Amino acid sequence: MLKRINWKSVFKCFAWMVCLSGVVVLMSFVDRKKHTVTCTNIKILIPGADNFIEREEIDAILKQSQGQLIGRQLEGINLQEIEKKMKANPYIAMATVYADMDGVIHVEVKQRQPILRVINSGGQDYYIDSDGLKMPVSPNFTANVLAANGNILEHFGGKVDTLITKLAVDLYTTAAFIKKDTLWDAQIEQLYVNEKKEIELIPRVGNQRIILGSADSLDVKMRNLLAFYKQAMPKVGWDTYKTINIKYTNQVVCEKSKADSVKVKVAPRPVVKDTVAANKPVIDALVRQQIAQEIKNDQLDDEGRLKVGAKPRPDPPKAEKKQAKPTSAANKPVVSSTTKPGAAQKPASAKEKVKTDTRKNK
Protein backbone atom coordinates (compact mmCIF):
# COMPACT_ATOMS: atom_id res chain seq x y z
CA MET A 1 0.00 0.00 0.00
CA LEU A 2 1.40 3.39 -1.00
CA LYS A 3 2.21 5.90 1.67
CA ARG A 4 0.14 9.03 1.90
CA ILE A 5 1.78 12.10 0.36
CA ASN A 6 2.72 14.86 2.81
CA TRP A 7 1.27 17.78 0.92
CA LYS A 8 2.36 20.23 3.60
CA SER A 9 6.04 19.52 2.99
CA VAL A 10 5.52 19.64 -0.76
CA PHE A 11 3.88 23.04 -0.46
CA LYS A 12 6.77 24.38 1.66
CA CYS A 13 9.35 23.19 -0.83
CA PHE A 14 7.40 24.71 -3.68
CA ALA A 15 7.13 28.04 -1.84
CA TRP A 16 10.87 28.13 -1.18
CA MET A 17 11.61 27.40 -4.82
CA VAL A 18 9.32 30.22 -5.93
CA CYS A 19 10.93 32.69 -3.53
CA LEU A 20 14.43 31.69 -4.57
CA SER A 21 13.62 31.99 -8.24
CA GLY A 22 12.02 35.39 -7.60
CA VAL A 23 15.15 36.64 -5.87
CA VAL A 24 17.30 35.42 -8.76
CA VAL A 25 15.06 37.14 -11.30
CA LEU A 26 15.07 40.35 -9.27
CA MET A 27 18.85 40.35 -8.91
CA SER A 28 19.27 39.78 -12.62
CA PHE A 29 16.90 42.65 -13.30
CA VAL A 30 18.84 44.93 -10.95
CA ASP A 31 22.13 43.86 -12.46
CA ARG A 32 20.82 44.48 -15.96
CA LYS A 33 19.55 47.93 -14.99
CA LYS A 34 22.84 48.69 -13.32
CA HIS A 35 24.54 48.39 -16.67
CA THR A 36 22.38 51.17 -18.05
CA VAL A 37 22.08 53.54 -15.03
CA THR A 38 24.54 56.43 -14.91
CA CYS A 39 25.59 58.51 -11.92
CA THR A 40 23.48 61.65 -11.77
CA ASN A 41 24.33 63.09 -8.36
CA ILE A 42 26.44 62.60 -5.22
CA LYS A 43 24.95 63.20 -1.77
CA ILE A 44 27.36 63.55 1.15
CA LEU A 45 26.15 63.36 4.76
CA ILE A 46 28.51 64.39 7.59
CA PRO A 47 26.61 64.39 10.91
CA GLY A 48 27.97 65.92 14.10
CA ALA A 49 28.99 69.37 15.33
CA ASP A 50 32.73 68.90 14.72
CA ASN A 51 34.16 70.00 11.40
CA PHE A 52 37.35 67.98 11.14
CA ILE A 53 36.50 67.10 7.56
CA GLU A 54 34.59 69.19 5.02
CA ARG A 55 32.63 68.33 1.90
CA GLU A 56 35.49 69.59 -0.27
CA GLU A 57 37.81 66.99 1.26
CA ILE A 58 35.26 64.23 0.57
CA ASP A 59 35.00 65.38 -3.05
CA ALA A 60 38.78 65.31 -3.32
CA ILE A 61 38.89 61.73 -1.99
CA LEU A 62 36.21 60.67 -4.49
CA LYS A 63 38.06 62.19 -7.44
CA GLN A 64 41.37 60.76 -6.29
CA SER A 65 39.86 57.29 -5.95
CA GLN A 66 37.59 56.99 -9.00
CA GLY A 67 37.97 60.22 -10.94
CA GLN A 68 34.92 62.07 -12.24
CA LEU A 69 31.81 60.16 -11.13
CA ILE A 70 28.86 62.13 -12.48
CA GLY A 71 27.97 60.91 -15.96
CA ARG A 72 29.65 57.52 -15.58
CA GLN A 73 27.81 54.21 -15.41
CA LEU A 74 27.39 52.75 -11.95
CA GLU A 75 28.83 49.46 -13.18
CA GLY A 76 32.23 51.06 -13.66
CA ILE A 77 32.37 52.70 -10.21
CA ASN A 78 34.01 50.70 -7.41
CA LEU A 79 32.08 51.72 -4.29
CA GLN A 80 34.11 49.43 -2.02
CA GLU A 81 37.30 51.18 -3.05
CA ILE A 82 35.74 54.53 -2.18
CA GLU A 83 34.83 53.26 1.30
CA LYS A 84 38.36 52.03 1.81
CA LYS A 85 39.78 55.44 0.90
CA MET A 86 37.34 57.16 3.24
CA LYS A 87 38.25 55.00 6.22
CA ALA A 88 41.94 55.72 5.66
CA ASN A 89 41.33 59.35 6.67
CA PRO A 90 42.34 59.80 10.36
CA TYR A 91 39.31 61.99 11.12
CA ILE A 92 36.73 59.50 9.76
CA ALA A 93 35.61 56.72 12.09
CA MET A 94 33.16 55.04 9.70
CA ALA A 95 32.11 55.50 6.07
CA THR A 96 29.26 53.99 4.06
CA VAL A 97 28.98 54.38 0.28
CA TYR A 98 26.07 53.03 -1.79
CA ALA A 99 24.09 53.86 -4.93
CA ASP A 100 20.35 53.73 -5.60
CA MET A 101 18.48 52.93 -8.80
CA ASP A 102 18.12 56.62 -9.66
CA GLY A 103 21.86 56.96 -10.17
CA VAL A 104 22.53 58.83 -6.90
CA ILE A 105 25.64 57.85 -4.92
CA HIS A 106 25.20 58.32 -1.17
CA VAL A 107 28.26 58.90 1.04
CA GLU A 108 27.68 58.82 4.80
CA VAL A 109 30.65 59.75 6.98
CA LYS A 110 30.95 59.51 10.77
CA GLN A 111 33.67 61.71 12.26
CA ARG A 112 35.79 60.83 15.25
CA GLN A 113 34.68 62.55 18.45
CA PRO A 114 37.63 63.80 20.52
CA ILE A 115 37.16 64.13 24.29
CA LEU A 116 40.70 65.03 25.39
CA ARG A 117 43.59 67.02 23.95
CA VAL A 118 46.99 65.87 25.17
CA ILE A 119 50.29 67.77 25.16
CA ASN A 120 52.97 65.33 26.28
CA SER A 121 56.32 66.14 27.87
CA GLY A 122 57.98 66.10 24.44
CA GLY A 123 55.69 68.82 23.08
CA GLN A 124 53.58 66.53 20.88
CA ASP A 125 49.95 67.54 20.52
CA TYR A 126 47.17 65.06 19.75
CA TYR A 127 43.59 64.11 20.59
CA ILE A 128 42.09 61.05 22.27
CA ASP A 129 38.67 60.24 20.82
CA SER A 130 35.62 58.66 22.45
CA ASP A 131 36.85 55.17 21.50
CA GLY A 132 40.18 55.63 23.31
CA LEU A 133 42.23 56.05 20.13
CA LYS A 134 44.86 58.69 19.45
CA MET A 135 44.17 60.98 16.50
CA PRO A 136 46.07 63.95 15.05
CA VAL A 137 45.23 67.61 15.53
CA SER A 138 43.47 69.25 12.59
CA PRO A 139 44.90 72.46 11.09
CA ASN A 140 41.38 73.54 10.07
CA PHE A 141 39.39 72.93 13.24
CA THR A 142 40.00 73.03 17.01
CA ALA A 143 37.70 70.97 19.22
CA ASN A 144 36.47 72.46 22.48
CA VAL A 145 37.53 69.62 24.78
CA LEU A 146 39.41 69.05 28.02
CA ALA A 147 43.19 69.60 27.92
CA ALA A 148 45.86 67.48 29.61
CA ASN A 149 49.55 68.31 30.01
CA GLY A 150 52.46 67.80 32.36
CA ASN A 151 54.62 64.71 32.79
CA ILE A 152 52.92 62.63 30.09
CA LEU A 153 55.17 60.16 28.25
CA GLU A 154 52.57 58.77 25.82
CA HIS A 155 54.09 59.08 22.33
CA PHE A 156 52.13 59.82 19.15
CA GLY A 157 53.22 58.40 15.81
CA GLY A 158 51.11 60.67 13.61
CA LYS A 159 48.32 58.20 12.80
CA VAL A 160 45.36 56.66 14.57
CA ASP A 161 46.65 54.33 17.26
CA THR A 162 45.71 52.78 20.60
CA LEU A 163 46.89 53.96 24.02
CA ILE A 164 49.99 52.29 25.43
CA THR A 165 50.73 53.52 28.96
CA LYS A 166 48.43 53.13 31.97
CA LEU A 167 48.65 56.86 32.66
CA ALA A 168 47.22 57.65 29.22
CA VAL A 169 44.41 55.16 29.81
CA ASP A 170 43.66 56.84 33.17
CA LEU A 171 43.56 60.25 31.48
CA TYR A 172 41.12 58.90 28.90
CA THR A 173 38.94 57.30 31.60
CA THR A 174 38.89 60.53 33.63
CA ALA A 175 38.05 62.66 30.59
CA ALA A 176 35.24 60.30 29.57
CA PHE A 177 33.78 60.42 33.11
CA ILE A 178 33.92 64.24 33.20
CA LYS A 179 32.37 64.47 29.72
CA LYS A 180 29.32 62.46 30.78
CA ASP A 181 28.62 64.55 33.91
CA THR A 182 27.28 68.05 33.27
CA LEU A 183 28.53 69.41 36.61
CA TRP A 184 32.12 68.22 36.24
CA ASP A 185 32.15 69.10 32.56
CA ALA A 186 31.43 72.70 33.53
CA GLN A 187 33.74 72.77 36.58
CA ILE A 188 36.89 70.94 35.43
CA GLU A 189 38.82 72.66 32.65
CA GLN A 190 42.22 70.92 32.68
CA LEU A 191 44.06 67.75 33.71
CA TYR A 192 47.66 67.98 34.91
CA VAL A 193 50.15 65.19 35.66
CA ASN A 194 52.62 66.17 38.40
CA GLU A 195 56.11 64.83 39.14
CA LYS A 196 54.67 61.87 41.07
CA LYS A 197 52.67 60.81 37.98
CA GLU A 198 49.46 61.75 39.76
CA ILE A 199 46.53 63.29 37.93
CA GLU A 200 45.43 66.71 39.18
CA LEU A 201 42.14 68.39 38.31
CA ILE A 202 42.22 72.13 37.64
CA PRO A 203 38.78 73.67 38.38
CA ARG A 204 37.21 76.77 36.86
CA VAL A 205 35.83 77.98 40.21
CA GLY A 206 38.39 78.15 43.01
CA ASN A 207 42.19 78.41 43.12
CA GLN A 208 42.87 74.97 44.59
CA ARG A 209 44.40 71.90 42.94
CA ILE A 210 42.39 68.70 43.22
CA ILE A 211 44.72 65.69 43.49
CA LEU A 212 42.96 62.72 41.92
CA GLY A 213 45.88 60.28 41.77
CA SER A 214 44.78 57.56 39.36
CA ALA A 215 41.47 56.68 37.73
CA ASP A 216 40.89 53.75 40.09
CA SER A 217 37.55 54.02 41.97
CA LEU A 218 36.89 57.22 40.03
CA ASP A 219 33.18 57.20 40.79
CA VAL A 220 33.79 57.04 44.56
CA LYS A 221 36.43 59.79 44.48
CA MET A 222 34.25 62.20 42.52
CA ARG A 223 31.31 61.46 44.81
CA ASN A 224 33.49 62.37 47.81
CA LEU A 225 34.50 65.60 46.09
CA LEU A 226 30.87 66.48 45.42
CA ALA A 227 29.99 65.90 49.09
CA PHE A 228 32.91 68.14 50.10
CA TYR A 229 31.68 70.86 47.75
CA LYS A 230 28.19 70.71 49.22
CA GLN A 231 29.12 70.56 52.92
CA ALA A 232 32.46 72.34 53.41
CA MET A 233 32.78 74.95 50.68
CA PRO A 234 29.73 77.05 51.66
CA LYS A 235 31.14 77.36 55.21
CA VAL A 236 34.85 77.98 54.61
CA GLY A 237 34.81 79.63 51.17
CA TRP A 238 36.27 78.66 47.81
CA ASP A 239 39.75 80.12 48.39
CA THR A 240 40.44 78.65 51.84
CA TYR A 241 42.29 75.53 50.70
CA LYS A 242 45.29 75.28 48.40
CA THR A 243 44.94 71.57 47.64
CA ILE A 244 42.12 69.03 47.95
CA ASN A 245 43.39 65.45 47.97
CA ILE A 246 40.77 62.86 46.97
CA LYS A 247 43.09 60.04 45.91
CA TYR A 248 42.03 58.07 49.00
CA THR A 249 38.61 56.50 48.66
CA ASN A 250 37.61 56.88 52.32
CA GLN A 251 38.67 60.47 53.08
CA VAL A 252 39.31 63.95 51.73
CA VAL A 253 42.55 65.65 52.84
CA CYS A 254 42.89 69.42 52.41
CA GLU A 255 45.75 71.88 52.82
CA LYS A 256 45.01 75.47 53.74
CA SER A 257 46.42 78.33 51.74
CA LYS A 258 48.62 80.82 53.65
CA ALA A 259 47.49 84.43 53.70
CA ASP A 260 49.88 86.98 52.28
CA SER A 261 51.16 89.16 55.15
CA VAL A 262 53.14 91.62 53.04
CA LYS A 263 51.54 95.03 53.01
CA VAL A 264 51.72 97.00 49.83
CA LYS A 265 52.03 100.76 50.12
CA VAL A 266 49.61 102.55 47.91
CA ALA A 267 50.81 105.80 46.40
CA PRO A 268 48.57 108.80 47.11
CA ARG A 269 46.28 109.69 44.31
CA PRO A 270 47.20 113.04 42.72
CA VAL A 271 44.62 115.82 42.89
CA VAL A 272 43.57 116.93 39.44
CA LYS A 273 42.13 120.40 39.03
CA ASP A 274 38.80 120.76 37.37
CA THR A 275 39.73 122.79 34.29
CA VAL A 276 36.12 122.96 33.12
CA ALA A 277 34.97 124.74 36.28
CA ALA A 278 37.98 127.08 36.18
CA ASN A 279 37.35 128.15 32.59
CA LYS A 280 33.57 128.44 32.93
CA PRO A 281 33.44 132.28 33.36
CA VAL A 282 35.61 132.81 30.29
CA ILE A 283 33.53 130.42 28.21
CA ASP A 284 30.27 132.05 29.35
CA ALA A 285 31.58 135.49 28.40
CA LEU A 286 32.57 134.29 24.93
CA VAL A 287 29.19 132.67 24.39
CA ARG A 288 27.31 135.82 25.44
CA GLN A 289 29.48 137.92 23.15
CA GLN A 290 28.78 135.60 20.22
CA ILE A 291 25.01 135.72 20.86
CA ALA A 292 25.05 139.53 20.98
CA GLN A 293 26.93 139.64 17.68
CA GLU A 294 24.39 137.31 16.03
CA ILE A 295 21.47 139.50 17.22
CA LYS A 296 23.18 142.60 15.90
CA ASN A 297 23.76 141.00 12.50
CA ASP A 298 20.08 140.03 12.23
CA GLN A 299 18.97 143.69 12.74
CA LEU A 300 21.16 145.10 9.93
CA ASP A 301 20.52 144.82 6.21
CA ASP A 302 23.06 144.04 3.52
CA GLU A 303 24.25 147.68 3.45
CA GLY A 304 24.80 147.80 7.20
CA ARG A 305 21.71 149.94 8.00
CA LEU A 306 19.01 149.20 10.54
CA LYS A 307 16.12 147.21 9.11
CA VAL A 308 12.62 148.73 9.12
CA GLY A 309 10.62 147.56 12.12
CA ALA A 310 13.70 146.36 13.98
CA LYS A 311 14.21 147.94 17.34
CA PRO A 312 17.76 148.99 18.04
CA ARG A 313 19.32 147.19 20.90
CA PRO A 314 19.88 149.60 23.78
CA ASP A 315 23.42 150.18 24.81
CA PRO A 316 24.37 148.89 28.20
CA PRO A 317 23.90 151.51 30.93
CA LYS A 318 26.98 153.47 31.80
CA ALA A 319 28.01 154.09 35.32
CA GLU A 320 27.00 157.59 36.49
CA LYS A 321 29.73 159.83 37.70
CA LYS A 322 29.20 161.33 41.10
CA GLN A 323 29.20 165.14 41.09
CA ALA A 324 31.19 166.93 43.68
CA LYS A 325 29.16 168.81 46.23
CA PRO A 326 29.32 172.64 45.93
CA THR A 327 31.44 174.36 48.52
CA SER A 328 29.04 177.31 48.81
CA ALA A 329 26.05 177.08 51.03
CA ALA A 330 23.54 178.00 48.28
CA ASN A 331 23.28 175.96 45.17
CA LYS A 332 23.52 177.68 41.84
CA PRO A 333 20.30 177.74 39.83
CA VAL A 334 20.20 175.26 36.98
CA VAL A 335 19.67 176.91 33.60
CA SER A 336 17.69 174.76 31.20
CA SER A 337 18.60 175.12 27.57
CA THR A 338 15.76 175.61 25.12
CA THR A 339 15.80 174.44 21.58
CA LYS A 340 15.98 177.11 18.95
CA PRO A 341 13.28 177.18 16.33
CA GLY A 342 15.79 177.10 13.56
CA ALA A 343 17.60 174.10 15.00
CA ALA A 344 14.71 171.72 14.46
CA GLN A 345 15.49 168.44 12.65
CA LYS A 346 15.19 168.64 8.91
CA PRO A 347 12.62 166.49 7.24
CA ALA A 348 13.85 163.45 5.35
CA SER A 349 14.62 163.94 1.70
CA ALA A 350 12.43 162.60 -1.08
CA LYS A 351 14.83 159.85 -1.94
CA GLU A 352 14.79 158.50 1.58
CA LYS A 353 10.96 158.60 1.64
CA VAL A 354 10.81 156.60 -1.58
CA LYS A 355 13.14 154.00 -0.18
CA THR A 356 11.10 153.72 2.99
CA ASP A 357 7.84 153.34 1.08
CA THR A 358 9.38 150.74 -1.17
CA ARG A 359 10.52 148.67 1.78
CA LYS A 360 7.05 148.84 3.31
CA ASN A 361 5.45 147.68 0.07
CA LYS A 362 7.78 144.77 -0.03
Side-chain angles (χ1 to χ4, degrees), residues 256-289:
K256 284 189 175 182
S257 58
K258 296 180 181 179
D260 190 6
S261 60
V262 179
K263 295 183 179 180
V264 180
K265 293 183 179 180
V266 181
R269 187 177 181 182
V271 179
V272 181
K273 294 183 179 180
D274 192 355
T275 56
V276 177
N279 297 331
K280 189 175 185 303
V282 180
I283 297 173
D284 292 346
L286 293 175
V287 172
R288 285 195 296 268
Q289 184 179 359

Side-chain angles (χ1 to χ4, degrees), residues 114-172:
I115 61 173
L116 181 65
R117 184 168 184 171
V118 179
I119 303 174
N120 61 14
S121 56
Q124 287 185 316
D125 193 2
Y126 56 91
Y127 288 113
I128 298 179
D129 67 355
S130 57
D131 297 326
L133 299 175
K134 293 179 287 187
M135 58 178 289
V137 177
S138 173
N140 302 323
F141 178 75
T142 302
N144 185 16
V145 295
L146 203 64
N149 62 345
N151 297 277
I152 303 173
L153 301 178
E154 182 75 19
H155 180 73
F156 180 59
K159 60 181 181 179
V160 178
D161 197 1
T162 57
L163 300 175
I164 301 174
T165 62
K166 183 182 182 302
L167 178 60
V169 175
D170 287 347
L171 289 173
Y172 160 70

Side-chain angles (χ1 to χ4, degrees), residues 8 36 42 48 107 144 152 155 171 211 243 267 294 304 317 328 338 344:
K8 188 175 182 180
T36 59
I42 300 174
V107 180
N144 185 16
I152 303 173
H155 180 73
L171 289 173
I211 302 175
T243 59
E294 292 293 336
S328 59
T338 57

Side-chain angles (χ1 to χ4, degrees), residues 166 170 174 177-178 184 188 197-201 210-229 244-253:
K166 183 182 182 302
D170 287 347
T174 305
F177 181 87
I178 293 173
W184 300 126
I188 307 301
K197 306 298 180 182
E198 295 176 337
I199 300 175
E200 296 182 2
L201 309 180
I210 303 171
I211 302 175
L212 179 66
S214 64
D216 299 337
S217 304
L218 183 60
D219 190 13
V220 178
K221 294 177 181 179
M222 299 305 290
R223 190 163 58 246
N224 294 341
L225 179 61
L226 180 60
F228 180 79
Y229 272 1
I244 301 175
N245 195 333
I246 59 172
K247 66 180 181 180
Y248 307 106
T249 56
N250 57 352
Q251 61 181 344
V252 176
V253 181

